[in-house]
Amino acid sequence: MRDRPAILAIDQGTTNSKALLVARDGTILARASHPLAVRYPQPAWVEQDPLELWASVRTVIDACLHAAPGIRPHAIAIANQRESVLLWERKTGAPVGPCVVWQCQRGANFCKGLRERDLEPWIRERTGLTIDPMFSASKARWLLENAEDGFRRAGRGELCLGTVDSWVLWNLTGGVHACDYTNASRTQLFNLVNASWDPELLALFDIPIEALPEARPSNALHGHTLSIGQLSGGIPIAGLLGDSHAALFGHAGFEPGQVKATYGTGSSLMTPTPTPIISQRGLSTTVAWAVQGETPRYALEGNIYATGAAVQWLGEFIGADDPAARIEALASEVSDSGGVYLVPAFTGLGAPHWNDAARGLLTGLTRGATAAHAARAALEAIAFQIRDVFEVMIAEIGAEPQALLADGGASRNDLLMQIQADLLGIPVLRSLSPDVSALGAAYLAGLATGIWATQDEIAALPRPRDCFEPRISSAERVRKIAGWQSAVRRACFEG
């Protein structure tokens, strides 16, 4: 094993950090995971401790390398939760405020003001994004507003603003301040046409460019590691990639018409496009990935705030020790939700609705409704939200995929995958790997460092999957969808 080249891939997510060692043949030589706390200081506010986040990354690196003694990684890749943003001291690396998580709505009032000024078409044309507090810019502004002398110090280069990839990179290298194009394209400060920070957007959000990381292609040479714990110094960091983009690359979703859905705390659907498509139906245009020396690849994406989070919430609400397992077991006790619908708009609704004022709703309750019906409704809520985005996506690209590619923690739930196939009316191909995002980041870093020579080599790697075929009738599908759409309208109205 000592001479076996491998990529160390870090996947820093909302609820946990993971690390794995990936060999040339795609085999995972070692794996480690560590949970990460999330705080909710006010309604619809979501944050994490930056030092806890970094400590969790260190923990999984050490555990992964300890499990594979003698292997010195050939390179390092980082996949990360996107849109979350941090502020820290350039001189000391000390955080200034929390990590404001992608789900957080604390920038909602500022975004409302932008919409009232009718700036949405102008911003969407430059960034591919609708105005929404999920994207980093309004949260970055909030951090500067709430730091002592924040704007002035940032303008003097004393403070660093960055997404999670840049925070992890900074700590691994001892001071490299950079991010990749995929993460930059999710900030609402990045011009898709120029592939650079946009001066007019920076002025609109009052973000000094002196505080921002250098934006680079995804598989550029981003720096070299310090010696940290089990990690040797001098290892190149050759891959940075947002987690959803990494999942698409991990599926080898290189061709237009392929659609993947990642089922996590929230969910992302993404399909590659040869050129940027500016959606008028509530989807985002984004950089899919950017290989050094090549034109960036683009994608259409739909982001959903709460999918796995809905299951977690309901499980905690009923006092389950293991929320996900308990909800799956309860949901399996009934054949349908009995007319019960859960709209998990805990922090508003994302794509394609983009309503940050919507709030969660449990509706359709009768005296005969049970916890099992509510559990089934929680799983169906995930599948309904995925379907909402999928239908808009196929309308935008003008083609209907033959199957949906699925990955992520919640995709381990067989019942959910069957419900998803039923509501889409097409097969769902589920990856049997729990590490698709980390693998995608590893593949990009391997392209940069010679582990793999071409994307064709990566596409040829084994990808074990299983398949869920639709079982319900078209009439039953139409009935269920109508009930869901009615519940969504109520959640938006009451919000």
Side-chain angles (χ1 to χ4, degrees):
M1 286 180 64
R2 183 179 298 274
D3 298 324
R4 193 174 186 183
I7 303 292
L8 174 63
I10 299 162
D11 184 3
Q12 201 300 298
T14 312
T15 56
N16 63 72
S17 294
K18 296 193 295 185
L20 54 151
L21 278 167
V22 184
R24 188 192 299 272
D25 63 0
T27 303
I28 295 175
L29 306 177
R31 179 190 288 111
S33 179
H34 189 77
L36 188 60
V38 182
R39 300 193 298 252
Y40 306 91
Q42 295 185 31
W45 285 31
V46 190
E47 66 185 40
Q48 293 177 305
D49 184 321
L51 294 179
E52 288 181 11
L53 190 156
W54 167 237
S56 72
V57 172
R58 288 193 57 173
T59 296
V60 295
I61 290 173
D62 282 351
C64 190
L65 294 177
H66 181 75
I71 289 186
R72 185 181 191 274
H74 188 74
I76 290 177
I78 300 167
N80 63 281
Q81 56 169 303
R82 303 169 306 155
E83 295 107 15
S84 302
V85 64
L86 306 95
L87 181 68
W88 65 92
E89 299 270 0
R90 187 180 296 271
K91 185 175 181 179
T92 66
V96 180
C99 172
V100 184
V101 173
W102 58 274
Q103 297 165 307
C104 187
Q105 297 286 308
R106 69 187 71 192
N109 286 338
F110 185 79
C111 289
K112 180 181 178 183
L114 297 179
R115 286 192 292 268
E116 289 173 347
R117 292 163 60 188
D118 198 28
L119 290 171
E120 178 123 23
W122 179 78
I123 290 176
R124 186 188 295 118
E125 190 67 28
R126 290 186 174 222
T127 68
L129 309 175
T130 190
I131 295 174
D132 191 84
M134 184 186 78
F135 304 114
S136 309
S138 63
K139 296 192 282 281
R141 177 189 169 91
W142 183 94
L143 281 169
L144 292 175
E145 283 180 326
N146 287 273
E148 184 177 352
D149 207 12
F151 290 106
R152 185 183 64 85
R153 296 187 65 210
R156 286 169 32 179
E158 296 174 11
L159 300 178
C160 294
L161 269 170
T163 43
V164 170
D165 62 324
S166 59
W167 172 242
V168 175
L169 178 67
W170 173 280
N171 284 284
L172 283 172
T173 60
V176 174
H177 192 31
C179 70
D180 94 300
Y181 288 172
T182 69
N183 280 284
S185 73
R186 309 299 295 177
T187 63
Q188 207 146 62
L189 301 171
F190 191 75
N191 190 305
L192 283 180
V193 175
N194 300 330
S196 62
W197 301 118
D198 188 295
E200 292 183 80
L201 290 166
L202 297 180
L204 179 66
F205 285 94
D206 288 331
I207 306 297
I209 195 169
E210 293 83 0
L212 290 175
E214 178 187 347
R216 301 171 174 172
S218 307
N219 73 339
L221 177 59
H222 298 289
H224 293 83
T225 59
L226 300 173
S227 179
I228 305 170
Q230 296 280 328
L231 185 65
S232 302
I235 298 172
I237 299 169
L240 299 179
L241 201 60
D243 52 9
S244 187
H245 314 256
L248 184 62
F249 203 88
H251 278 291
F254 304 143
E255 301 301 324
Q258 295 176 296
V259 179
K260 72 88 197 174
T262 298
Y263 296 76
T265 304
S267 286
S268 158
L269 277 78
M270 190 178 284
T271 186
T273 61
T275 58
I277 297 174
I278 304 301
S279 172
Q280 303 301 318
R281 297 180 174 92
L283 300 184
S284 299
T285 307
T286 188
V287 176
W289 52 77
V291 173
Q292 186 82 24
E294 298 181 8
T295 303
R297 290 294 306 272
Y298 295 93
L300 274 178
E301 182 176 15
N303 300 97
I304 302 166
Y305 292 157
T307 49
V311 171
Q312 185 73 17
W313 170 81
L314 184 60
E316 292 173 353
F317 188 79
I318 65 174
D321 292 333
D322 185 341
R326 181 58 178 151
I327 294 305
E328 182 175 10
L330 279 171
S332 300
E333 294 177 4
V334 291
S335 59
D336 60 39
S337 67
V340 175
Y341 290 89
L342 170 64
V343 183
F346 307 125
T347 57
L349 288 171
H353 312 285
W354 294 116
N355 187 326
D356 56 33
R359 287 297 175 262
L361 179 71
L362 186 63
T363 187
L365 296 173
T366 66
R367 186 62 184 85
T370 67
H373 293 107
R376 184 87 178 203
L379 296 187
E380 290 184 350
I382 298 174
F384 279 126
Q385 291 182 98
I386 295 288
R387 182 198 170 277
D388 285 349
V389 173
F390 183 85
E391 290 297 307
V392 173
M393 187 167 282
I394 64 175
E396 290 278 19
I397 64 177
E400 185 161 357
Q402 298 303 303
L404 177 72
L405 305 174
D407 66 89
S411 72
R412 301 301 94 207
N413 186 318
D414 288 355
L415 178 57
L416 170 60
M417 293 294 96
Q418 185 58 56
I419 292 171
Q420 189 69 82
D422 288 343
L423 292 179
L424 288 177
I426 62 171
V428 173
L429 301 179
R430 177 179 63 181
S431 171
L432 296 180
S433 169
D435 304 305
V436 177
S437 291
L439 286 168
Y443 298 155
L444 265 172
L447 276 179
T449 56
I451 296 287
W452 298 284
T454 66
Q455 289 186 13
D456 288 341
E457 280 189 32
I458 292 169
L461 293 172
R463 283 179 179 80
R465 294 168 173 154
D466 54 11
C467 181
F468 295 82
E469 297 279 355
R471 294 178 181 171
I472 66 173
S473 67
S474 297
E476 179 71 1
R477 184 177 305 116
V478 168
R479 182 188 67 79
K480 287 177 175 289
I481 291 168
W484 164 255
Q485 292 172 339
S486 176
V488 169
R489 287 192 294 269
R490 291 185 60 188
C492 290
F493 176 77
E494 293 179 5

